[in-house]
Amino acid sequence: MRKLIAVLFILVIANVAAQEKANAKLNGKINANLNDLEGVYVVNLKTEKSVITEKGGFFSIAAHPGDTLLFSSMQLKGIQICLEPDDFKKELFFVKMDQMINQLPEVLVRRYDNINAVSLGIVPKGLKSYTPAERKYATASSGTMNPMGLDPLLNLFSGRTAMLKKEIEVEKKEFYLQKLDDMFDTHHFVDILKIPAEYIKGFEYYIVENDRFTTTLNSKNKTMTDFLMTQLAAKYNEIIACENE
């Protein structure tokens, strides 16, 4: 009888703990030297869920200790924070972000496509080029750092390999977003594509999820990129209209 009671007690405790874990939510606020902190993207790299900060930089996102949050904004330097158990005990989790400041004199930039690391002999021809996130993933998923070859297994079971793979996807999206900002200004989105100014960032995230569009964006064909963007803008404006009804 005592054993049965003990088993039931353990099951009840486990159920309560599971519910608490499932309902865990982090309430936080962005602190930065900016008046407008609305629209900062907060992404949980483990669950791939994301939210956007409200007026004043406040946000609320489902998360658990051990999850890594990515904070990204065009006006602020992006940062990643691994959550600790104590972070959930606070009424508000404050995140300090630094403003993106460029203090450069006028510079004439000339493009030389034939001059690169390979032509200069810095990198051997045919060697694969890795981004920072790809490099970390390659290290974690290969046995080069451990002569016994155990690192890939340890990273696989701990979930680190999966997390790094998600970081690669986030890095790619940030790369596409930067390319968009380099190719098109606010005037193009508002006056040409008819995207409301407050929805521009959401539209950019919407189109970089489209594989056909990102392939065209990578091809550097601005005409085709603009054509596809016009089609996607029409669909996105329909979504906005439905949401505002």
Side-chain angles (χ1 to χ4, degrees):
M1 184 64 179
R2 290 181 179 177
K3 290 184 178 180
L4 178 60
I5 293 174
V7 171
L8 291 175
F9 179 77
I10 292 173
L11 290 175
V12 170
I13 294 298
N15 185 50
V16 171
Q19 289 181 354
E20 289 180 351
K21 185 175 182 181
N23 296 327
K25 184 162 283 192
L26 183 73
N27 297 316
K29 182 183 184 304
I30 303 294
N31 278 344
N33 189 24
L34 279 179
N35 293 326
D36 184 13
L37 293 174
E38 185 178 1
V40 177
Y41 280 85
V42 184
V43 183
N44 188 324
L45 296 179
K46 186 173 183 180
T47 64
E48 296 186 342
K49 300 296 182 182
S50 64
V51 297
I52 301 176
T53 56
E54 300 174 353
K55 188 174 181 180
F58 294 94
F59 67 89
S60 181
I61 188 170
H64 302 97
D67 289 359
T68 297
L69 298 185
L70 169 70
F71 298 84
S72 177
S73 169
M74 296 307 298
Q75 295 177 297
L76 301 168
K77 295 180 181 179
I79 60 171
Q80 293 184 27
I81 298 177
C82 183
L83 299 176
E84 303 289 342
D86 288 343
D87 296 333
F88 293 80
K89 298 177 182 179
K90 304 171 185 175
E91 184 175 351
L92 273 180
F93 175 64
F94 290 97
V95 179
K96 180 70 172 69
M97 297 185 72
D98 296 323
Q99 188 174 358
M100 191 82 72
I101 300 176
N102 295 318
Q103 295 181 336
L104 294 174
E106 184 176 348
V107 178
L108 177 61
V109 179
R110 293 179 179 176
R111 179 173 176 175
Y112 296 94
D113 293 332
N114 60 327
I115 299 179
N116 50 51
V118 175
S119 64
L120 294 174
I122 301 173
V123 177
K125 185 176 181 180
L127 185 66
K128 179 176 174 56
S129 176
Y130 290 96
T131 66
E134 288 174 336
R135 190 175 298 108
K136 286 192 291 184
Y137 174 74
T139 301
S141 58
S142 68
T144 55
M145 300 298 292
N146 189 325
M148 297 298 292
L150 297 177
D151 273 357
L153 290 175
L154 294 175
N155 288 322
L156 177 63
F157 291 128
S158 68
R160 183 168 182 266
T161 300
M163 182 188 73
L164 291 174
K165 201 169 185 179
K166 291 175 183 177
E167 283 189 24
I168 293 176
E169 294 304 315
V170 172
E171 186 182 60
K172 285 181 180 179
K173 290 176 184 178
E174 290 182 336
F175 170 74
Y176 295 142
L177 291 171
Q178 186 60 56
K179 290 196 70 170
L180 279 174
D181 289 334
D182 291 342
M183 294 174 69
F184 304 98
D185 56 15
T186 302
H187 160 75
H188 187 85
F189 288 104
V190 176
D191 298 332
I192 307 299
L193 301 179
K194 306 303 180 184
I195 301 293
E198 64 271 23
Y199 285 96
I200 291 177
K201 184 54 61 179
F203 173 65
E204 288 182 337
Y205 270 83
Y206 170 73
I207 58 180
V208 298
E209 293 289 344
N210 186 294
D211 292 338
R212 184 187 177 194
F213 177 77
T214 53
T215 299
T216 304
L217 184 63
N218 270 333
S219 71
K220 301 179 182 180
N221 186 333
K222 188 173 182 179
T223 301
M224 190 61 184
T225 300
D226 194 15
F227 173 73
L228 290 177
M229 215 164 46
T230 302
Q231 292 183 326
L232 293 170
K235 294 180 181 179
Y236 190 74
N237 283 327
E238 290 178 4
I239 295 173
I240 295 175
C242 292
E243 290 180 348
N244 293 332
E245 287 181 355

